[in-house]
Amino acid sequence: MILTDTEQKLLSGDWAEAAVPYALTRQQRSFEAASQRCKSRLADLSKALQAELGRMLTDVVFDLDVNLCSGVGLENWLSEPGILLLDAALPLDKDRPCYMSIDHQAVHNMADLCLGGQLTDKTQIQEKVEFSSSENRICCRLLQKQAQALMQLLFNQHLPLTAHLYKQKLQLDAFSYLPLKVRLILEKEAVSWFLWLPIELLLQESDELFSAVEPLGGPLSLDWQQVPVRCTVEMARKQVTVKQLQDWLQGELLAIELFSSMRFQLGKQVLFHGTVAEEGQVLMFQVTQKQEK
């Protein structure tokens, strides 16, 4: 939004509310595109995951709820003891796996459900960092099933994917992963965990992240910068007397000499210098020297 000199420099409340933020970097714009596409497909994603997990929990009646999270506060949660991390490699161009994080209570509950028993009372479970081999194997199977459901839904591919324990600290690049909270809803209990999906899963070939070539012409020709701005070029400067000015206003011609070098300014910032050129009987401004930074 471009404001004139006579308009206020601060947006009013209504205008500020209507203004749409624009992500400046390609990674941020790709993240927003993936987030919007993920939100539009959450219902389909939930059904696909529920169908796949139903083959794992054959004797369990449950519903599944999937929501996209903001990620705020999850880093602190991941650093708490008793959080199990797993990763599963995906057939993407970039070497980015998907991750699953699940706390000790949910690990024990999933083990109970898979082994056909009743959920253990929370008061009987002691928080611990190490899990049994059966619990680890069940969690790997849980992530494997979800990764297969994702590939089937998004790419119509049923692949024999594998999942493994991830024993490092989970450090993700900014705007590269979408955190999903998955809730397995039972009759009187809910078991939840988080999935971390690389944004490439939700992007298409036409999206910016897959374009390795910058638009021709450099930054000034990018579509998002094609907005009107007020620029000035000072072509000449001359001192006159009051009588000369009066004669000029009566129709007299005022002789001037063009600068040999003229400044092109955006506001008070000089971008480059140039000179007047003629092309087809039309005067043009030709850049001769860029302003050094």
Side-chain angles (χ1 to χ4, degrees), residues 11 24 27 39 74 90 105 173 199 220 230 270-271:
L11 297 178
L24 294 181
Q27 188 74 21
K39 290 178 182 178
L74 286 180
L90 298 175
Q105 178 69 56
D173 297 334
I199 62 174
L220 290 179
R230 177 173 296 176
V270 178
L271 298 184

Side-chain angles (χ1 to χ4, degrees), residues 230-278:
R230 177 173 296 176
C231 302
T232 59
V233 177
E234 186 179 17
M235 302 180 66
R237 183 180 299 173
K238 187 175 181 65
Q239 286 186 336
V240 297
T241 65
V242 174
K243 184 178 184 308
Q244 286 175 317
L245 181 59
Q246 290 175 334
D247 293 341
W248 190 22
L249 294 176
Q250 297 301 320
E252 294 290 336
L253 297 179
L254 179 65
I256 61 173
E257 293 181 1
L258 298 180
F259 288 146
S260 58
S261 178
M262 306 170 190
R263 296 179 299 176
F264 186 97
Q265 296 183 199
L266 178 60
K268 297 182 179 180
Q269 176 69 39
V270 178
L271 298 184
F272 37 74
H273 291 77
T275 186
V276 171
E278 184 176 357

Side-chain angles (χ1 to χ4, degrees), residues 115-253:
L115 297 176
Q118 299 295 323
L119 294 184
T120 305
D121 193 299
K122 292 183 179 181
T123 58
Q124 300 178 16
I125 297 178
Q126 298 297 322
E127 184 175 347
K128 61 179 181 179
V129 176
E130 297 295 331
F131 299 95
S132 68
S133 58
S134 295
E135 290 171 335
N136 290 335
R137 186 169 59 254
I138 287 172
C139 289
C140 288
R141 182 66 172 165
L142 177 61
L143 177 55
Q144 178 190 17
K145 284 289 187 181
Q146 292 175 98
Q148 288 177 330
L150 286 169
M151 296 305 299
Q152 181 70 39
L153 173 66
L154 300 176
F155 304 105
N156 197 27
Q157 297 179 358
H158 189 75
L159 302 175
L161 303 175
T162 58
H164 308 277
L165 297 180
Y166 189 80
K167 297 184 179 181
Q168 305 175 37
K169 183 179 179 180
L170 190 57
Q171 294 180 332
L172 305 176
D173 297 334
F175 304 108
S176 60
Y177 276 82
L178 299 173
L180 297 179
K181 184 172 184 179
V182 183
R183 296 177 66 243
L184 188 145
I185 304 173
L186 306 169
E187 183 179 359
K188 297 181 180 180
E189 187 64 77
V191 183
S192 62
W193 57 87
F194 291 93
L195 284 179
W196 306 79
L197 306 183
I199 62 174
E200 288 82 0
L201 277 178
L202 281 304
L203 294 178
Q204 299 175 353
E205 292 184 359
S206 58
D207 289 321
E208 284 189 274
L209 191 63
F210 291 102
S211 175
V213 181
E214 291 288 346
L216 297 177
L220 290 179
S221 65
L222 292 175
D223 290 340
W224 66 274
Q225 288 188 342
Q226 299 304 316
V227 295
V229 293
R230 177 173 296 176
C231 302
T232 59
V233 177
E234 186 179 17
M235 302 180 66
R237 183 180 299 173
K238 187 175 181 65
Q239 286 186 336
V240 297
T241 65
V242 174
K243 184 178 184 308
Q244 286 175 317
L245 181 59
Q246 290 175 334
D247 293 341
W248 190 22
L249 294 176
Q250 297 301 320
E252 294 290 336
L253 297 179

Side-chain angles (χ1 to χ4, degrees), residues 35-48:
S35 298
Q36 293 300 322
R37 201 162 290 139
C38 182
K39 290 178 182 178
S40 67
R41 304 207 64 179
L42 280 179
D44 295 336
L45 179 58
S46 180
K47 292 179 181 178

